Amino acid sequence: MAIEPSLEFNTDEAAVLARYFTNLDRPVFALRNLPEVVKGALFSRYSRTEKSLRRVLLDEFINVPDSGFQALANTSGSSDDMVAVRRAEEFYERVLVGYGDDSVAELAGAHVAVERTSTLAAKALEDSRIGISPLEKSTRYVRFDRPDRDGRFLYHRASELAHPDYEPAADSLFETYSALVDPLTQAIRDRFPIEEGESERAWKAATRAKALDMLRGLLPAGTLTNLGLFGNGRAFEYLITKLAAHELPECRALATDLHRELALVIPAFVKRALDERYGSPAAERMMRVREAVKSIDAHTPSPRSGEGLGGEVRLLESDPDAERKVAAAALFPHSDARWEDLRADPGQVLEALLADRANRRQRPARALEHAQYAFEIVANFAAYRDLHRHRMLTQDRQLLGTALGFDVPPGLAELGMQHRVVDAIERAAKAHARLERDLGPALAQYVVPLAYRVRWYFRVNLREIYHMCELRTTPQGHPDYRWVAQEMFRLVGQVHPRLARYAKFVDMGPGDELERRRSERHLDEKLSALDRRVL
Ligand SMILES: Cc1cc2nc3c(=O)[nH]c(=O)nc-3n(C[C@H](O)[C@H](O)[C@H](O)COP(=O)(O)OP(=O)(O)OC[C@H]3O[C@@H](n4cnc5c(N)ncnc54)[C@H](O)[C@@H]3O)c2cc1C
């Protein structure tokens, strides 16, 4: 007979355990007041014990003096966190002996902040797709021209970037940005006056956001930003190893910094990241592979510089059999037939799967992942930054340069402000050419403004097409990426009209002229609802 969980612990035991669990009598409970490593160690025991987790904590740790748990519990949350972490580490090592599975490192996580890092390095950090959730300072909501403590603009400076052309070009981009923020905001406010029923807060925020959106192309890729990452130990370990192999010295330094800080909070999980047995050889191999692949002659005609034709989205590959595959995948879990014997009218299956979606958050089924597409995209680096954040894509980019031309928001020309912008951007292009010659193409990227186009690929399944295109075509989205998402969707619709038909929240319209206006009004409504609740 099953023992009632509420009967599992006597009063003394319950008194000890209550501090560590959200309940003691139900089968679903959360862990609290325990260091990350202990939580990881506890979960790792699930695979080797028939006891309940709460019983393991009690029998194997709390009541076993040698486990070190008491010392750990006594120091946990105390002023001497370093002692607590070291004890947690010893504790974890003791528990983990014999449990070599790498996945144990996914059982604990950490929040880490990375500040004053270049936009290029931020992209390298965010390139890790599985197990890491990033958030980054927004070019839409935050001015990037606030000077540093020493009065200089915030962009990456380092010995490897010592070049007479770098700082003057970067300064000129920031000066132009800085000089234009206020007049552009004013011009936008004149063009979009406050509307009836709109609060001053909402109107000011929306018009400021539009000005910052229009000027972000001036920011060089060396612009410093701040980001927060939440991730599990395993993902961080791999990220550190990859950064250690990166071609930019800034990223290699980040590997050391991240490793040092994460070793203070989740040491057991990142200890192999740079060690001599696994981490360092893996990083060295990544560098060797990069160099080896680079040296292979790709038999391309001379670089297609000066293309300058504008952005482009090309569908490289799609699967003519996609409809049948999606239908078979949808039927599969409801059948006992073999894959190849699953036959049904795809139209009927799609209708059953997708016809009733009421909003974009009602996700399409996993079966849509059986339709795959490959795209090559040429769009500005600012748009790349936005779309790069979609983790369900397989993607990679080419080095950021100036050969593919740049975009200037049409609104700037209408307001007669494009000349200054174009001057600063072209000056940066000249500096880029000299940096490329003297420092190489990887370092030269730092001076390239986000307005310049870059070429990248996406390999993507239809389910993510639904998610990404519905999200990235909302009318308040930035025009830089809206057109890319619209074009991707149009191309999918051309090859697979029936599969695309149900992504009905993709917005192929022109978008909102004042992109943030609707969202800010909505925010006002939420704020006043909160106020009413508080009163
Ligand atoms: C209007 C707008 C403004 C934005 N502003 C900012 C900003 O200021 N700063 C900023 O940093 N970013 C910003 N972003 C980017 C945003 O935070 C996301 O990184 C980006 O949209 C990627 O999309 P996604 O998270 O929905 O999922 P994708 O990475 O495309 O993944 C698809 C889906 O898979 C699931 N998924 C994938 N990975 C995880 C995971 N680790 N945990 C849980 N679920 C997961 C989710 O359901 C997700 O929706 C903005 C995006 C939009 C559309």
Side-chain angles (χ1 to χ4, degrees):
M1 198 183 70
I3 302 171
E4 279 291 317
S6 55
L7 301 177
E8 204 181 336
F9 309 108
N10 65 34
T11 317
D12 290 346
E13 290 172 334
V16 175
L17 286 178
R19 176 173 153 69
Y20 302 115
F21 301 102
T22 50
N23 73 69
L24 297 180
D25 58 354
R26 289 190 292 274
V28 178
F29 51 92
L31 283 60
R32 60 183 178 189
N33 297 322
L34 287 167
E36 288 295 307
V37 270
V38 174
K39 288 186 260 182
L42 270 177
F43 277 176
S44 75
R45 293 288 289 129
Y46 264 135
S47 66
R48 312 286 165 113
T49 181
E50 56 190 28
K51 291 181 188 173
S52 73
L53 195 78
R54 291 175 288 216
R55 176 56 64 192
V56 170
L57 184 68
L58 200 58
D59 289 359
E60 299 183 20
F61 303 137
I62 294 179
N63 292 337
V64 177
D66 285 352
S67 75
F69 182 82
Q70 286 311 337
L72 183 60
N74 291 340
T75 43
S76 171
S78 78
S79 55
D80 198 351
D81 272 358
M82 300 317 298
V83 176
V85 167
R86 201 153 54 237
R87 294 211 164 116
E89 177 76 353
E90 286 164 12
F91 169 89
Y92 187 86
E93 288 292 330
R94 206 167 297 131
V95 176
L96 218 69
V97 172
Y99 299 77
D101 186 347
D102 288 356
S103 64
V104 169
E106 290 171 40
L107 299 176
H111 287 89
V112 53
V114 182
E115 299 192 347
R116 302 167 65 87
T117 193
S118 76
T119 299
L120 286 178
K123 293 313 105 191
L125 288 166
E126 292 163 358
D127 205 48
S128 284
R129 292 169 299 172
I130 298 179
I132 294 198
S133 303
L135 211 72
E136 186 187 333
K137 180 165 135 185
S138 169
T139 52
R140 173 173 270 191
Y141 307 116
V142 187
R143 279 180 80 140
F144 273 70
D145 60 332
R146 302 279 183 221
D148 205 352
R149 284 180 290 271
D150 60 6
R152 299 195 298 176
F153 290 117
L154 286 161
Y155 59 85
H156 183 64
R157 296 175 182 83
S159 54
E160 69 272 12
L161 279 168
H163 189 285
D165 291 327
Y166 176 54
E167 295 198 17
D171 282 336
S172 155
L173 289 165
F174 274 94
E175 278 155 13
T176 311
Y177 176 102
S178 196
L180 291 179
V181 172
D182 290 333
L184 181 57
T185 307
Q186 193 48 54
I188 291 167
R189 286 181 182 159
D190 294 343
R191 161 101 172 67
F192 299 98
I194 192 163
E195 286 181 349
E196 208 177 312
E198 186 175 34
S199 75
E200 183 153 331
R201 186 212 63 76
W203 173 67
K204 283 193 164 165
T207 44
R208 167 56 58 93
K210 179 148 184 94
L212 298 185
D213 264 357
M214 286 168 78
L215 293 175
R216 71 178 188 170
L218 278 164
L219 299 171
T223 300
L224 297 186
T225 187
N226 297 334
L227 66 161
L229 306 169
F230 173 69
N232 69 55
R234 191 184 200 181
F236 276 131
E237 188 174 72
Y238 187 45
L239 173 62
I240 292 167
T241 306
K242 278 195 302 181
L243 289 174
H246 204 280
E247 55 193 338
L248 297 177
E250 184 193 6
C251 292
R252 295 200 293 274
L254 271 177
T256 314
D257 289 348
L258 271 176
H259 187 245
R260 188 184 55 239
E261 302 308 320
L262 286 168
L264 297 175
V265 287
I266 48 168
F269 303 121
V270 292
K271 67 172 184 239
R272 284 186 300 208
L274 299 175
D275 75 357
E276 285 184 11
R277 185 158 177 218
Y278 295 108
S280 297
E284 280 156 23
R285 178 177 169 274
M286 285 179 204
M287 290 193 252
R288 270 200 314 278
V289 169
R290 183 172 61 235
E291 291 312 312
V293 176
K294 241 191 218 178
S295 68
I296 297 172
D297 182 359
H299 300 294
T300 44
S302 57
R304 306 212 291 169
S305 64
E307 270 164 294
L309 304 169
E312 186 182 32
V313 176
R314 294 195 300 133
L315 179 61
L316 304 177
E317 274 176 43
S318 65
D319 182 351
D321 208 18
E323 270 197 5
R324 191 194 60 76
K325 288 180 182 167
V326 169
L331 293 170
F332 191 84
H334 307 290
S335 152
D336 56 4
R338 296 191 314 168
W339 175 269
E340 57 274 29
D341 296 332
L342 287 164
R343 278 175 234 280
D345 169 19
Q348 195 188 349
V349 176
L350 291 175
E351 198 60 20
L353 270 186
L354 296 163
D356 67 340
R357 291 178 68 232
N359 61 57
R360 68 177 170 81
R361 289 175 211 278
Q362 294 187 349
R363 297 171 195 198
R366 179 174 289 187
L368 272 69
E369 292 180 18
H370 288 259
Q372 302 273 346
Y373 308 87
F375 291 94
E376 185 188 88
I377 298 164
V378 175
N380 64 47
F381 195 72
Y384 165 80
R385 277 172 73 237
D386 295 323
L387 298 175
H388 170 248
R389 290 288 298 279
H390 289 279
R391 291 153 293 180
M392 299 299 288
L393 306 165
T394 302
Q395 53 176 303
D396 225 335
R397 71 167 169 94
Q398 297 180 339
L399 285 184
L400 176 60
T402 58
L404 298 172
F406 61 89
D407 294 324
V408 177
L412 276 179
E414 282 164 29
L415 295 168
M417 294 190 188
Q418 88 277 27
H419 299 299
R420 270 194 86 170
V421 171
V422 170
D423 283 352
I425 288 177
E426 286 179 343
R427 183 168 176 189
K430 289 194 186 111
H432 170 262
R434 289 189 286 264
L435 261 70
E436 192 175 32
R437 181 195 63 204
D438 300 339
L439 307 178
L443 285 170
Q445 293 179 103
Y446 280 101
V447 80
V448 180
L450 305 189
Y452 270 101
R453 301 187 194 109
V454 63
R455 184 186 285 119
W456 75 92
Y457 72 70
F458 275 162
R459 183 167 280 280
V460 52
N461 67 57
L462 183 62
R463 195 179 190 205
E464 179 66 10
I465 288 277
Y466 270 55
H467 172 69
M468 191 173 82
C469 295
E470 289 185 339
L471 177 69
R472 294 295 185 172
T473 59
T474 50
Q476 65 269 32
H478 197 294
D480 279 350
Y481 63 67
R482 270 192 97 239
W483 77 267
V484 177
Q486 287 176 329
E487 196 54 14
M488 286 174 71
F489 188 68
R490 193 184 63 76
L491 291 166
V492 169
Q494 259 178 13
V495 289
H496 294 143
R498 210 154 47 161
L499 288 174
R501 183 187 302 158
Y502 300 91
K504 55 185 177 214
F505 306 106
V506 174
D507 186 329
M508 298 299 274
D512 288 348
E513 272 196 291
L514 185 56
E515 292 84 359
R516 279 294 300 173
R517 179 166 247 165
R518 252 196 269 194
S519 311
E520 292 296 342
R521 281 190 156 202
H522 190 52
L523 181 60
D524 263 356
E525 284 159 21
K526 283 197 205 159
L527 289 173
S528 52
L530 270 177
D531 283 347
R532 280 198 298 277
R533 218 179 300 164
V534 171
L535 286 173

